[in-house]
Amino acid sequence: MTTPSDEVHRAIADAHRREWAFVLAATARVAGDIDLAEECVQDAYVSALDAWTRDGIPSNPAAWLTTAARHRAVDIHRRNQTLRGKLPLLVEPDVAPADVEDADLIPDDRLRLVFTCCHPALGREAQVALTLRLVCGLTTAEIAQVFLVPEPTMAARVTRAKKKIALARIPYRVPDSAELPDRLDAVLTVVHLLFTTGHTAPAGERLVRADLVDRSVGLARMLLVLMPDEREVRGLLALILLTDARRRTRVDAAGRLLLLEEQDRTQWDREQIAEGLALVVNALRGVGAGRFAVQAAIAAVHAEAASYAETDWPQVLELYDELLRRWPSPVVALNRCVAVLMVEGAQAALDEADALDASGRLAGYRYLPATRADLLRRLERFTEAAEAYRSAIALADNELERAFLTGRLSDVLSASPS
């Protein structure tokens, strides 16, 4: 039997998952310091347990939590009038019309805080990790998986980034229009990583975390409003839309994970695809398309094909080669193996995957052994495939992925000679 207390706990958990970033960003503008803002937001969630049990769940939990957190921040400032002078200032100091005008450039508190965390005084990895943690609401464990490092290592990096901001008195403020381009690549990286984390959840029972996907789409759209002439912004939004268009076909009615080649492309979201394709065309115009535009072009080739077999794989491989020249990422190199498979065959793709494995650059990355296992299966090297599937299963924390890999392991064990 469901009790009012159960409903309150569920409402708070849902608000934490969906609204943490919004509440933190709005509170940070009042608190003047990110650690203080986090403390106030945490206090607001704790207070909600008693208040919502007593008075009922509010119609707008985010507004209730934001009001409570901001009031807490104001109370702390009132008790310590010297605090504001000792801590870094956040956005919108109550001075200078020019500052207010620049603040209006960024239409959402979360996007303001994304740009703030992506301060050039921090290293790129610290910028991205801090923003994913504070603004996007990812756990330290989730961020560690993104960066392929142990969770304690990532926790230490986030802590160091916060300390550097405090000790160096890096101002928390909205960057003016001249500063925006220098921070753009880090901001785009954050939004993209937010999307990829939502597109395939690193852990849990669901394949997709729709809240993270929707948040990334919203941030990308706001960036396009803010910087409409930036081709990479168009490329990122196109990439997200074209990839997310497949959302409802990635799992079958029985809850089984479906690979791209198994998906019913007639069920892809045609409106998202049309919007994404138009954005790709604009993103690729001119010389020197960026990495997000090229990734969007790869997604566009898939979106335009009627079936997996009809995908222009030589074009996809050519685009991956171009992407690697612009962004020599080992993850891109691994993704390229699929195109190599379709153009040059399983052995050529396995040679590429084995080279990545030997390099150690993707140690702990769950998709490397999964890719090798699939290629070994196609080559009918079933004993080696089984070993690779076991390695992939050990790294997989998403239950749908684990179920898929376990099924494939069973298949290759059945096919392997006794």
Side-chain angles (χ1 to χ4, degrees), residues 69 102 126 147 153-154 172 185 223 236 306 308 328 347 355 376 415:
D102 280 334
F147 284 95
T153 300
M154 182 51 62
Y172 282 103
D185 187 68
L223 281 170
L236 175 63
Y308 191 73
Q347 186 58 57
L376 289 163

Side-chain angles (χ1 to χ4, degrees), residues 139-152:
T139 66
T140 304
E142 289 170 335
I143 301 169
Q145 289 197 18
V146 168
F147 284 95
L148 306 180
V149 298
E151 183 177 348

Side-chain angles (χ1 to χ4, degrees), residues 158-273:
V158 171
T159 300
R160 284 197 300 270
K162 285 184 180 181
K163 287 182 178 179
K164 181 171 184 179
I165 287 172
L167 293 174
R169 294 184 174 272
I170 294 173
Y172 282 103
R173 62 177 178 81
V174 177
D176 61 35
S177 56
E179 294 175 299
L180 291 179
D182 290 338
R183 305 192 192 188
L184 180 60
D185 187 68
V187 172
L188 293 175
T189 299
V190 165
V191 177
H192 182 235
L193 289 175
L194 177 64
F195 169 73
T196 57
T197 303
H199 179 66
T200 303
E205 299 178 355
R206 297 172 295 168
L207 181 65
V208 177
R209 282 193 57 182
D211 57 320
L212 299 184
V213 172
D214 294 343
R215 193 177 302 165
S216 69
V217 173
L219 289 172
R221 290 195 184 283
M222 283 186 279
L223 281 170
L224 186 59
V225 171
L226 180 67
M227 309 176 80
D229 296 327
E230 288 288 345
R231 291 192 296 161
E232 277 291 77
V233 174
R234 293 178 179 274
L236 175 63
L237 180 55
L239 173 61
I240 290 174
L241 291 174
L242 291 169
T243 306
D244 186 49
R246 309 195 298 259
R247 188 193 302 192
R248 62 173 173 254
T249 67
R250 297 177 63 214
V251 177
D252 66 14
R256 185 177 69 90
L257 176 66
L258 297 177
L259 300 181
L260 180 61
E261 61 196 84
E262 302 172 302
Q263 294 172 18
D264 180 359
R265 297 188 179 211
T266 65
Q267 298 301 309
W268 289 1
D269 190 316
R270 305 315 300 180
E271 289 187 8
Q272 281 189 234
I273 289 174

Side-chain angles (χ1 to χ4, degrees), residues 203-403:
E205 299 178 355
R206 297 172 295 168
L207 181 65
V208 177
R209 282 193 57 182
D211 57 320
L212 299 184
V213 172
D214 294 343
R215 193 177 302 165
S216 69
V217 173
L219 289 172
R221 290 195 184 283
M222 283 186 279
L223 281 170
L224 186 59
V225 171
L226 180 67
M227 309 176 80
D229 296 327
E230 288 288 345
R231 291 192 296 161
E232 277 291 77
V233 174
R234 293 178 179 274
L236 175 63
L237 180 55
L239 173 61
I240 290 174
L241 291 174
L242 291 169
T243 306
D244 186 49
R246 309 195 298 259
R247 188 193 302 192
R248 62 173 173 254
T249 67
R250 297 177 63 214
V251 177
D252 66 14
R256 185 177 69 90
L257 176 66
L258 297 177
L259 300 181
L260 180 61
E261 61 196 84
E262 302 172 302
Q263 294 172 18
D264 180 359
R265 297 188 179 211
T266 65
Q267 298 301 309
W268 289 1
D269 190 316
R270 305 315 300 180
E271 289 187 8
Q272 281 189 234
I273 289 174
E275 183 182 359
L277 292 176
L279 287 164
V280 170
V281 171
N282 289 324
L284 293 175
R285 282 178 180 163
V287 179
R291 60 185 173 104
F292 292 110
V294 177
Q295 289 179 86
I298 294 171
V301 175
H302 289 299
E304 290 181 306
S307 70
Y308 191 73
E310 294 177 21
T311 295
D312 188 342
W313 287 106
Q315 183 182 9
V316 171
L317 182 56
E318 183 179 340
L319 286 168
Y320 266 118
D321 290 340
E322 179 64 25
L323 180 58
L324 272 175
R325 284 191 287 270
R326 299 182 181 282
W327 186 30
S329 160
V331 173
V332 171
L334 182 64
N335 293 339
R336 178 180 173 273
C337 289
V338 177
V340 174
L341 163 68
M342 300 304 293
V343 176
E344 301 176 11
Q347 186 58 57
L350 181 61
D351 290 342
E352 299 275 355
D354 285 346
L356 283 168
D357 191 18
S359 74
R361 299 173 68 198
L362 289 176
Y365 186 57
R366 64 191 187 277
Y367 295 127
L368 175 57
T371 299
R372 292 189 66 256
D374 181 66
L375 295 171
L376 289 163
R377 178 185 63 85
R378 292 172 186 267
L379 292 167
E380 299 186 359
R381 294 162 57 177
F382 298 123
T383 300
E384 294 168 89
E387 182 181 351
Y389 276 124
R390 291 189 184 98
S391 297
I393 291 168
L395 294 170
D397 291 324
N398 183 284
E399 293 188 15
L400 270 73
E401 289 186 323
R402 284 181 63 87

